[in-house]
């Protein structure tokens, strides 16, 4: 493999062409804009995970799992077991959903 060819291929990519050193130093990123973009990305990821439920009931259960993981005070501090009882689901189902949420969001290994 020719190193010079490989180097040339990397330089021709659109991402590298738009990310020149001059633009990096001349155009500082507004922290508020960056924070909004990061928040939007996180919210989108959460909403996509919730929408993976195939029924309205499953989406409601997923929403409750999100609230339990992020802000348990908003659902009265319900435990996963209590959520399962109200949703008429087994403990294993609820714990599996909670684990899936944590993994999807990068909160667990």
């Amino acid at each position: 493999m020719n190193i010079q060819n490989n180097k040339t291929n990397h330089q021709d990519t659109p991402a590298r062409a738009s990310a020149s050193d001059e633009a990096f130093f001349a155009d500082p990123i507004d922290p508020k804009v960056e924070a909004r973009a990061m928040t939007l990305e996180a919210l989108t990821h959460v909403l996509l995970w919730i929408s993976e439920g195939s029924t309205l009931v499953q989406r409601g259960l997923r929403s409750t799992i999100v609230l339990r993981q992020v802000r348990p005070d908003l659902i009265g501090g319900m435990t996963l077991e209590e959520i399962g009882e109200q949703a008429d689901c087994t403990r294993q189902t609820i714990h599996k959903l909670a684990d899936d949420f944590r993994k999807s969001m990068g909160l667990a290994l």
Side-chain angles (χ1 to χ4, degrees):
M1 184 178 248
N2 188 344
I3 294 174
Q4 187 176 11
N5 266 348
N6 197 10
K7 192 175 186 181
T8 303
N9 289 340
H10 285 298
Q11 291 174 347
D12 292 338
T13 63
R16 290 193 184 267
S18 67
S20 68
D21 288 340
E22 295 82 26
F24 177 78
F25 290 109
D27 301 327
I29 296 174
D30 181 3
K32 288 182 181 180
V33 172
E34 187 174 12
R36 285 184 188 122
M38 292 171 67
T39 301
L40 178 62
E41 185 177 345
L43 284 173
T44 300
H45 197 73
V46 169
L47 292 172
L48 285 171
W49 185 84
I50 290 171
S51 71
E52 288 177 7
S54 58
T55 66
L56 187 59
V57 171
Q58 289 176 351
R59 290 177 184 151
L61 179 58
R62 284 174 170 263
S63 299
T64 305
I65 296 292
V66 169
L67 288 172
R68 172 68 181 105
Q69 299 303 312
V70 178
R71 287 283 308 270
D73 59 304
L74 295 177
I75 57 170
M78 290 174 60
T79 64
L80 293 174
E81 288 76 19
E82 291 170 335
I83 293 169
E85 289 171 9
Q86 285 193 11
D88 198 29
C89 294
T90 64
R91 286 176 25 181
Q92 292 82 3
T93 300
I94 299 299
H95 283 277
K96 184 178 177 184
L97 267 177
D99 286 343
D100 182 57
F101 174 73
R102 288 184 205 116
K103 288 176 185 173
S104 291
M105 300 302 132
L107 301 173
L109 298 175

